[in-house]
Amino acid sequence: MNTPSSDSRTPHGQIPQRYSGRIRGLDLTRGLAIIGMIWAHVKPYTTDEGLAYVLSEIPSGRSSALFALLAGVSIAILTGRNVPYAGDQMRHAQLRIVGRALVLLVFGSFLGVFSSPIAIILDYYAVWFLLSLPLVYWSARKLAISAIIVALVGPQLIIGFTWLTDTFELWGDGFLTNTLVYGMYPGLAYMALVLAGMALGRLDLTQPLLRMQLLIIGVALAVLSYGTAWVATSTFASEADMWDSAYEGAGYPIVAFNFFTAAPHSNTTPEVLGNLGVGLAILGACLWLAPLAKHILFPIAAVGSMSLTAYVGHAFFLHFKPDWFFGDSVAPFLWVAGGVLVFCTIWALLPVRRGPLEWVTWRFSQWFARPSLRSSVSSGGTALRSASIHDQPLPHKPAHTP
């Protein structure tokens, strides 16, 4: 049931409605992102470039992009959903976001201690959270426009910075430079996805029309972006030009291929927009399939409801199974994904509200934001309540869902 918000009013004086309740379609989407990441980490290695190879590469790069899109949705939900908080409520929500970012940095550092081919995303995730703090007051329209601008400009800045540091032998190794420019998930590219997710979270995700729009827009954007990349790299933006330039020792090559490829983790405009399109389509489909999260798709929704636990758990486990990387069997994926599904399903059936690491994150973020809560209460305000996709249990009984 939607509840009215007293944070703001329409020009006609009507109180807008803030949608409420856990959105199980988001759990499904997040669960698919985790399973896709597991596949990308331990999928069978093959040199065949046929249809099987193309299909096996679908989760590569797109799972992390889907994670970034959902990070934006989470930020919007934490800060008021489709009716943004104001005043003390917003400050409290922002402090909770900072607290969550700090926890993610700790978990990311923990996983970084253990050798693994996995490029840990948690540090980047934390930086995205912090970069979003000044933008939580923006409307869905402003966030969407900003997402498009970042998608068009950010990848070009990455290429420019990389060329500068390579050409003039500048030192570019550092936490901020890696998370913003040079790393696997650079903020200059991935913030486009985060901003797009924030824009979505500012809309009413319970509306059926929105699901259809996400599907149509997502498919169209993916076809346009990947199609453009394919045409370009098949004609004037050949990959051979890049290798020829590199072979000539000209430093980081500034060739058309670097701007138009949509290869996984290339962080170009076509890849970012294509991944965004795939993410929108998957999210739209999962919102439609949300009723199935109560039974048939419950295991996947359970994984999504405790995605931090699933991510950290599988990454930590794979440290002890180095031979499972770059193998020729699908067995490692079945073992890891199956183990994650079983654990999360059993945990979700227990009388607990959150996953193990989700509980730690929630407790710390609440503690970190408590000074703002005390300040509000001492000044005559009421206790603040911040909404979060991780702050409510995965429903076991019928509840409000999109």
Side-chain angles (χ1 to χ4, degrees), residues 35 38-39 42 303 314 331-343:
I35 294 173
I38 295 174
W39 172 261
V42 294
V303 173
H314 100 274
F333 167 76
L334 296 177
W335 279 110
V336 177
V340 167
L341 285 166
V342 170
F343 174 84

Side-chain angles (χ1 to χ4, degrees), residues 34-280:
I34 288 290
I35 294 173
M37 279 189 164
I38 295 174
W39 172 261
H41 294 157
V42 294
K43 65 185 177 183
Y45 177 77
T46 177
T47 57
D48 180 21
E49 296 187 358
L51 179 60
Y53 171 80
V54 173
L55 294 176
S56 72
E57 283 293 298
I58 289 177
S60 299
R62 296 170 185 86
S63 297
S64 56
L66 187 56
F67 239 50
L69 182 69
L70 293 171
V73 177
S74 300
I75 292 166
I77 290 179
L78 277 166
T79 54
R81 305 194 180 208
N82 56 315
V83 184
Y85 294 138
D88 289 335
Q89 274 191 307
M90 181 61 85
R91 284 188 288 273
H92 181 74
Q94 288 175 307
L95 283 174
R96 290 188 63 207
I97 291 173
V98 175
R100 287 171 177 248
L102 293 175
V103 173
L104 291 175
L105 286 173
V106 170
F107 287 138
S109 299
F110 167 76
L111 291 177
V113 173
F114 303 92
S115 59
S116 170
I118 297 176
I120 303 301
I121 198 174
L122 298 183
D123 292 344
Y124 299 87
Y125 211 100
V127 172
W128 302 339
F129 268 41
L130 296 177
L131 290 175
S132 73
L133 290 176
L135 314 178
V136 294
Y137 298 94
W138 288 8
S139 66
R141 178 182 178 85
K142 191 173 183 179
L143 288 166
I145 293 174
S146 300
I148 295 173
I149 293 174
V150 173
L152 295 176
V153 176
Q156 280 55 255
L157 292 177
I158 292 175
I159 293 174
F161 281 128
T162 305
W163 178 83
L164 283 173
T165 55
D166 184 71
T167 301
F168 297 99
E169 299 181 351
L170 301 176
W171 182 255
D173 187 18
F175 179 76
L176 285 179
T177 53
N178 282 334
T179 53
L180 294 177
V181 183
Y182 306 114
M184 184 70 75
Y185 317 105
L188 284 176
Y190 275 75
M191 277 305 294
L193 298 157
V194 176
L195 289 167
M198 292 175 66
L200 289 175
R202 288 287 178 249
L203 303 176
D204 188 347
L205 293 176
T206 66
Q207 295 300 315
L209 177 61
L210 180 61
R211 308 166 196 169
M212 181 61 69
Q213 291 172 332
L214 290 177
L215 276 169
I216 295 174
I217 294 173
V219 171
L221 183 60
V223 171
L224 177 63
S225 301
Y226 294 137
T228 299
W230 181 80
V231 170
T233 55
S234 299
T235 55
F236 65 90
S238 171
E239 184 176 7
D241 295 338
M242 182 191 69
W243 292 114
D244 290 343
S245 179
Y247 180 77
E248 293 171 1
Y252 183 79
I254 300 294
V255 294
F257 177 83
N258 289 339
F259 293 89
F260 286 96
T261 178
H265 301 296
S266 58
N267 298 316
T268 63
T269 292
E271 195 219 359
V272 171
L273 291 178
N275 290 349
L276 174 58
V278 171
L280 294 177

